[in-house]
Amino acid sequence: MSNPNFIYWNCGAGIIKKLDTIRWHLNNDKPDIFFIAEADIINDRNLGIFQFPNYIFHQAGTLQLKNKCRLIAWCRPKITRRHDLETPENEILAFENNGQLIIGIYRHFKCFQGETIRSNFDRLMLNLEEISSQQKEMIIIGDFNVDPTRDMGNYFGSRLENWKNDCDLDQLIQNDTRTRMVDGKIQSSRIDLVYTNIVGVKTETEMTTLSDHQIISFSLLGFEKQRANNKKGTAYLDWRKYSGAKMIELFVEFFSGIDIHLHDVNEINDRITTAICLGLNEIVPKRTANLTGKNPVINGKIRNLRNKKSRLHKKWKQSGDLQDYQNLRKVSNALNYEVKQERKKTIMHGINADPKAYWKTINTIMGKNIIEDIKLANNGVELSDHFEIANSFAQFFKNKVDELEQNSKCEDYEIPDLNDWVSEDMFFNELEVEEALQRLKPSKAMGLDEIPGLVIKDLRYVIRKPLCWLFNNIMTTGVIPKAWKVSKIIPIHKKGAKDLVNNYRPVSNISSLSKVFERGIINKLRHKSDDELFGTHQHAFRQGSSTITAGLVFQDFVARELDQKKLVLAYSADLTAAFDVLRPNLLVKNLLSLSVNKALVRIIYNFLCDRSAFVQIGNKTSYNWTLPIGCVQGSVLGPVLFNIYMRKLPKMVTAIEKDSFVMAYADDSYIALSCDKLNIKNASVSLANIFNMHKHWLDQLGMICNPSKTEFIVFGNTEDARKVRINLGDTRLESLNAMKVLGIMFDANLTWKAQIHKILSKCSSVSYSLRLLNRILPRNLHKQVIYSHFISHLMYGSPIWAGSVAKKELGKLSSSLNKTLRQHCFDFSRSESNSELYLESRIRSLKSQILIQDAKFL
């Protein structure tokens, strides 16, 4: 919501340290009224620091009675204050504009002498009932310190509900607006409420690390500003004036310094993030881009040519003169040329920008862009409001994990006492922090703090000491900052219809500072070897391993057994939302079994517990929901913890069949065993037993294995092999002709025909988009797109399959590459030989590409 009419914020325990944030909102959002609760202004305070241009400063009338004022506001001079609607005992500010009342309130529990909390609440409600009797359009917003959704059967919630119904008011806020740590757990509640009898009020909430309350913005259709806001616009961060050197200078200016006596990790984190955010606000402001018409490539020259074309068209229609028509054609041709040039310039600007903009531009042209304007269907009704869509996704993601948790029965493990002295090697030094900062990916994906990794990396030399102070206090207290435990989820379409929520997967964005800390924790864990932590079977998230090394190990086992005239029976286990159902208590059990330092285990357990998430669509966010289980996929530490969680898989499998094969890549696992052709039936029974034990082990871990989606194959070309069936519980599986192993198609005889067909299909699907880009991009950038979108598919897994592919199949791949290079070199008449194409394009032949890939893995 750009430029809201009104803003309300419970800033939390004093306003002084939040003045820079308030000033930023007044200067950029330009609201008509900005209410602040818990301002805590005392009677003798010099009010000069609260005076801002174009605004009048107001305080609630409690200042004289209590010597302290907790509710204040800044409003435009055109707006009238209604003192007659206020009582000095209540924290209340009443304003009127264009016949509409705007009421801000704050209710706190510190009562007058002789008052109870209930009579304190009644006093405020009597004031609001008097205001409601004015028979005017109104909006009442404030911190009531009552959550109606959790107090419906008690006095306060019932009183609010009755008042709302009697006065015919709507309650607009539908998500929790306050999140704080209570007794070591995150508590969310909906105590900041908006009541109105005006149709068309739009509200929006914004999280901030400066307070445990969200900032609430709302707009009214009756105001001129709202009519101006009906123009379509897109909010974006303007990075044109960003400079790493300037960012360092501003951070040093805004950061208050290290206080060795301060140990509250939340406050330390707030001090660091506030200094960064204040610097970002100055050099990376938020702006709104308004697009004219349907064409986003509009500049001054194009706009003038369009106006000129319109005038000439009207003139020609009236006169019918040939000269007027020729002038019109001339201007029209000039306009088309300018549009093409500007479009090309826009594409080039996107490609030459940062990696995120590059891929966004290319993927848009390739037809694979992330969907930004999502529209969902709910019971046949299309949802287009971003707030409704965000809540639909939130409900779906929450219900999915809740159902999985309810349908799984895992081992019950009680966590022992983890309080222990932190050994010296568990503390961080500045070099360790700097190393973790160096490994931070400089993308602009942002979490709750809205700080990009690029900025953190630029600040590494000045921020390493404050982060060392923060990290060591986390190690000492065992507490993770609560702002790090909130995940911002962006839904990404994966397959199928784009209007169904179950065809999207959640991608979590978390705080950049949290990622730095997690990298430091990984370094502490890796005092032990990867083999000890993960097991030799695991290829994911470890140095020197990849999907290709995993595929090579699998191919080596199968090929070796086939060379010995044996058959190989294999299956791939399909897990449902594996990362989302990890149990923190069972991970603790695994970590303790590895003799990991108890203080480190306590930190990891705290990192996984009491987490929450919300979905963001555009500028709208859903309600917050808690994540009682699970391992954050968007985190740096999460995948490593998942590998530790699943480390005992080989031990479980080999307990049944000593010579069985086990290979895993994160949550994808592949189990195989070999046998003589005469023993195939016994082998199929053994493999079924392995699967049933595998599934039982996964059940103990709380994982959900789906037998119906499990793939089974028998490698070896015999009639008996094709007839093999195995029973996995109640599911009977037939042997497939080909099984996908980490994106590579392994067919029953390792001829790789299925893999070649898959590659050709993928390359063919991108060839049309490459032709579109051919005349737009310079040769060096078009070559880059060929490598990223064509050759990457063509060569994926070549060390695994290329050595044993038939010459005819390799010829098909080579022809596909040559066809793309002819487009790249504009050789549509086929006048150049293949060797000339390779020389001109500086792209190697398929045979050379294969040799290079093999050399890399050797």
Side-chain angles (χ1 to χ4, degrees):
M1 183 190 302
S2 60
N3 298 107
N5 293 115
F6 312 111
I7 300 177
Y8 181 95
W9 181 32
N10 185 325
C11 70
I15 193 177
I16 302 301
K17 294 181 180 180
K18 286 94 173 182
L19 281 176
D20 288 321
T21 299
I22 294 167
R23 183 185 295 107
W24 186 89
H25 279 284
L26 291 173
N27 291 337
N28 290 273
D29 292 336
K30 298 179 173 58
D32 289 320
I33 303 176
F34 193 164
F35 294 101
I36 296 289
E38 291 195 15
D40 293 348
I41 296 179
I42 57 177
N43 205 1
D44 58 353
R45 164 68 67 182
N46 179 10
L47 302 181
I49 60 173
F50 304 121
Q51 306 302 324
F52 295 123
N54 304 317
Y55 285 94
I56 298 175
F57 178 68
H58 295 272
Q59 307 169 68
T62 54
L63 186 62
Q64 300 303 321
L65 279 175
K66 297 185 175 181
N67 200 33
K68 188 178 186 181
C69 172
R70 308 208 77 190
L71 181 69
I72 62 174
W74 286 270
C75 80
R76 298 284 187 184
K78 65 177 182 178
I79 297 176
T80 306
R81 182 167 176 184
R82 291 287 303 273
H83 290 277
D84 59 305
L85 299 179
E86 304 171 4
T87 58
E89 294 84 5
N90 292 321
E91 299 279 359
I92 185 167
L93 287 169
F95 299 97
E96 183 173 354
N97 189 22
N98 293 347
Q100 294 174 317
L101 296 177
I102 304 94
I103 312 297
I105 69 105
Y106 172 72
R107 172 183 170 255
H108 54 84
F109 300 119
K110 294 183 179 179
C111 308
F112 289 107
Q113 187 174 2
E115 264 192 337
T116 63
I117 293 179
R118 179 175 292 191
S119 60
N120 160 284
F121 180 72
D122 288 339
R123 169 165 48 78
L124 172 64
M125 292 308 300
L126 288 172
N127 200 164
L128 294 181
E129 287 166 1
E130 180 184 353
I131 293 171
S132 305
S133 66
Q134 294 288 308
Q135 301 297 317
K136 289 191 176 187
E137 289 186 335
M138 67 184 66
I139 186 162
I140 299 172
I141 184 169
D143 179 359
F144 283 77
N145 267 309
V146 172
D147 189 339
T149 62
R150 295 175 173 85
D151 195 40
M152 294 299 291
N154 295 326
Y155 181 82
F156 302 103
S158 300
R159 181 75 188 271
L160 273 175
E161 188 70 15
N162 292 335
W163 167 67
K164 181 188 79 170
N165 294 334
D166 292 341
C167 300
D168 196 22
L169 300 172
D170 294 322
Q171 208 294 93
L172 300 185
I173 295 293
Q174 300 300 323
N175 57 297
D176 292 346
T177 55
R178 186 204 68 165
T179 305
R180 66 172 60 172
M181 187 77 72
V182 178
D183 296 330
K185 294 183 178 181
I186 289 182
Q187 180 191 89
S188 296
S189 56
R190 191 180 308 171
I191 60 178
D192 300 304
L193 307 174
V194 178
Y195 293 96
T196 186
N197 57 5
I198 305 173
V199 177
V201 177
K202 300 294 183 182
T203 62
E204 181 180 308
T205 58
E206 173 191 348
M207 289 192 169
T208 173
T209 58
L210 296 177
S211 169
D212 53 10
H213 289 255
Q214 298 181 27
I215 299 174
I216 301 174
S217 307
F218 54 100
S219 295
L220 308 179
L221 291 175
F223 284 71
E224 293 179 3
K225 188 177 291 183
Q226 177 62 29
R227 289 197 293 271
N229 285 340
N230 286 335
K231 296 179 180 179
K232 291 185 178 180
T234 303
Y236 71 99
L237 292 175
D238 187 351
W239 288 88
R240 290 176 297 179
K241 295 183 179 179
Y242 175 77
S243 160
K246 181 64 176 176
M247 189 65 220
I248 291 172
E249 179 184 327
L250 290 172
F251 176 80
V252 173
E253 176 185 345
F254 290 125
F255 182 61
S256 59
I258 294 174
D259 180 357
I260 60 173
H261 302 293
L262 179 61
H263 305 293
D264 186 329
V265 297
N266 290 296
E267 186 171 346
I268 297 171
N269 180 59
D270 284 347
R271 287 191 181 188
I272 297 172
T273 54
T274 299
I276 299 171
C277 289
L278 289 174
L280 275 175
N281 288 342
E282 287 203 15
I283 57 176
V284 189
K286 275 189 177 180
R287 301 190 186 279
T288 301
N290 292 314
L291 305 183
T292 305
K294 296 181 180 180
N295 193 345
V297 288
I298 303 295
N299 59 27
K301 191 172 183 180
I302 291 174
R303 190 176 292 110
N304 291 335
L305 284 171
R306 280 190 171 177
N307 294 337
K308 189 174 181 179
K309 179 184 175 182
S310 178
R311 292 194 301 270
L312 287 173
H313 185 267
K314 290 178 181 178
K315 184 179 179 182
W316 171 66
K317 280 290 186 182
Q318 292 173 357
S319 67
D321 185 72
L322 179 60
Q323 184 63 41
D324 290 338
Y325 176 73
Q326 290 175 343
N327 291 337
L328 174 61
R329 288 291 301 271
K330 187 176 180 180
V331 172
S332 181
N333 290 337
L335 174 61
N336 292 337
Y337 175 79
E338 285 298 329
V339 169
K340 286 180 182 178
Q341 290 299 109
E342 186 66 23
R343 189 180 296 278
K344 184 184 292 189
K345 191 185 299 182
T346 302
I347 292 172
M348 294 302 301
H349 176 75
I351 289 174
N352 290 326
D354 59 90
K356 183 177 179 181
Y358 167 80
W359 285 112
K360 182 178 179 181
T361 304
I362 292 298
N363 287 334
T364 299
I365 299 166
M366 303 294 286
K368 300 175 183 178
N369 197 23
I370 294 174
I371 301 172
E372 294 183 346
D373 189 17
I374 299 174
K375 292 184 179 179
L376 297 180
N378 184 14
N379 296 325
V381 179
E382 184 181 274
L383 300 178
S384 57
D385 181 75
H386 284 178
F387 178 72
E388 293 178 349
I389 293 172
N391 279 329
S392 296
F393 276 116
Q395 194 65 38
F396 171 73
F397 295 143
K398 179 181 183 299
N399 289 345
K400 182 179 180 180
V401 175
D402 287 347
E403 289 173 10
L404 290 173
E405 183 183 16
Q406 292 170 7
N407 295 332
S408 62
K409 296 180 180 179
C410 61
E411 177 188 353
D412 187 18
Y413 175 74
E414 185 175 345
I415 297 176
D417 183 15
L418 297 176
N419 290 319
D420 197 5
W421 289 104
V422 184
S423 58
E424 188 174 345
D425 61 330
M426 287 296 106
F427 286 109
F428 290 86
N429 58 50
E430 291 185 33
L431 288 177
E432 289 177 303
V433 174
E434 186 178 339
E435 180 187 350
L437 285 165
Q438 288 279 14
R439 298 194 62 182
L440 185 67
K441 294 182 179 179
S443 68
K444 290 190 176 69
M446 298 177 287
L448 180 65
D449 55 13
E450 295 193 338
I451 300 174
L454 168 70
V455 174
I456 302 295
K457 200 160 187 175
D458 285 345
L459 291 172
R460 58 187 178 275
Y461 296 119
V462 293
I463 206 175
R464 61 186 180 183
K465 195 166 186 177
L467 287 184
C468 197
W469 171 40
L470 172 60
F471 294 172
N472 286 333
N473 274 284
I474 292 174
M475 298 304 299
T476 303
T477 61
V479 176
I480 302 290
K482 62 182 181 181
W484 293 4
K485 293 190 174 189
V486 182
S487 301
K488 179 175 71 176
I489 292 179
I490 308 296
I492 303 298
H493 181 255
K494 53 181 181 178
K495 61 180 179 180
K498 296 178 181 178
D499 59 350
L500 299 177
V501 292
N502 54 344
N503 289 334
Y504 289 78
R505 62 184 176 88
V507 173
S508 299
N509 292 331
I510 61 174
S511 166
S512 297
L513 295 184
S514 175
K515 292 178 183 178
V516 178
F517 177 71
E518 292 165 42
R519 178 65 62 188
I521 292 296
I522 291 173
N523 293 338
K524 300 293 184 187
L525 280 172
R526 282 188 166 151
H527 288 166
K528 298 180 179 293
S529 68
D530 283 351
D531 286 350
E532 189 177 359
L533 288 173
F534 305 155
T536 56
H537 71 293
Q538 181 61 257
H539 289 258
F541 314 114
R542 59 190 299 168
Q543 191 172 1
S545 295
S546 66
T547 56
I548 306 304
T549 62
L552 281 169
V553 169
F554 187 80
Q555 183 246 22
D556 180 65
F557 172 79
V558 174
R560 187 173 64 248
E561 298 302 315
L562 292 183
D563 287 344
Q564 297 176 13
K565 307 301 181 183
K566 292 184 177 182
L567 300 177
V568 176
L569 289 76
Y571 73 83
S572 63
D574 181 82
L575 302 184
T576 303
F579 279 74
D580 295 331
V581 294
L582 179 145
R583 301 313 201 267
N585 62 325
L586 297 183
L587 176 66
V588 168
K589 181 181 179 182
N590 262 337
L591 291 168
L592 293 176
S593 70
L594 288 167
S595 301
V596 176
N597 183 289
K598 278 189 177 182
L600 189 57
V601 175
R602 179 178 64 163
I603 293 294
I604 293 172
Y605 180 68
N606 192 296
F607 172 78
L608 293 177
C609 290
D610 301 316
R611 299 193 70 93
S612 64
F614 66 93
V615 175
Q616 179 167 324
I617 303 293
N619 293 325
K620 297 293 182 69
T621 60
S622 71
Y623 64 86
N624 272 42
W625 76 93
T626 57
L627 301 171
I629 59 174
C631 184
V632 189
Q633 292 191 57
S635 68
V636 177
L637 181 60
V640 173
L641 298 181
F642 183 84
N643 280 355
I644 295 173
Y645 194 69
M646 304 289 286
R647 60 184 288 272
K648 294 184 179 179
L649 174 61
K651 183 178 180 180
M652 180 278 304
V653 173
T654 54
I656 301 174
E657 287 292 334
K658 180 181 177 182
D659 297 325
S660 55
F661 169 84
V662 183
M663 185 270 289
Y665 192 89
D667 58 334
D668 295 322
S669 55
Y670 303 88
I671 316 297
L673 54 86
S674 63
C675 67
D676 296 327
K677 295 178 181 179
L678 297 177
N679 293 326
I680 189 169
K681 289 186 178 179
N682 292 334
S684 63
V685 173
S686 296
L687 191 68
N689 290 336
I690 290 174
F691 176 84
N692 291 327
M693 180 59 74
H694 186 182
K695 186 176 184 305
H696 175 73
W697 176 73
L698 290 170
D699 290 341
Q700 292 295 305
L701 291 176
M703 297 286 163
I704 310 294
C705 183
N706 190 347
S708 63
K709 291 186 178 180
T710 298
E711 292 187 348
F712 163 64
I713 190 172
V714 177
F715 292 99
N717 187 18
T718 66
E719 187 67 28
D720 292 336
R722 287 192 288 270
K723 294 179 180 179
V724 172
R725 310 284 188 274
I726 61 172
N727 295 320
L728 306 182
D730 297 331
T731 304
R732 185 175 177 81
L733 295 184
E734 298 182 1
S735 175
L736 300 172
N737 293 324
M739 182 175 77
K740 185 184 288 187
V741 179
L742 301 173
I744 300 170
M745 299 301 297
F746 282 69
D747 57 66
N749 293 309
L750 294 188
T751 62
W752 306 107
K753 288 184 178 179
Q755 174 66 8
I756 300 302
H757 176 76
K758 179 188 173 188
I759 292 172
L760 290 172
S761 176
K762 194 74 175 178
C763 290
S764 177
S765 68
V766 303
S767 62
Y768 175 72
S769 298
L770 289 173
R771 288 200 299 272
L772 289 179
L773 288 167
N774 202 26
R775 295 186 181 277
I776 296 175
L777 300 181
R779 294 305 82 195
N780 63 323
L781 289 179
H782 191 254
K783 177 181 173 180
Q784 189 176 352
V785 176
I786 289 175
Y787 269 106
S788 59
H789 281 272
F790 183 87
I791 293 179
S792 62
H793 295 304
L794 188 73
M795 301 307 301
Y796 177 69
S798 63
I800 301 170
W801 52 262
S804 52
V805 173
K807 191 173 182 179
K808 180 180 178 181
E809 301 299 325
L810 283 178
K812 293 178 182 178
L813 297 180
S814 186
S815 295
S816 178
L817 174 62
N818 294 341
K819 183 179 178 181
T820 299
L821 295 187
R822 290 195 186 280
Q823 293 176 16
H824 176 69
C825 298
F826 297 103
D827 182 31
F828 303 114
S829 61
R830 302 178 66 86
S831 60
E832 297 183 46
S833 66
N834 291 338
S835 57
E836 288 173 330
L837 285 176
Y838 304 141
L839 187 63
E840 182 181 346
S841 65
R842 296 180 178 270
I843 295 177
R844 299 179 186 274
S845 66
L846 179 68
K847 185 177 180 180
S848 297
Q849 301 267 9
I850 290 171
L851 288 173
I852 291 170
Q853 291 295 324
D854 288 344
K856 286 181 179 178
F857 281 93
L858 285 173

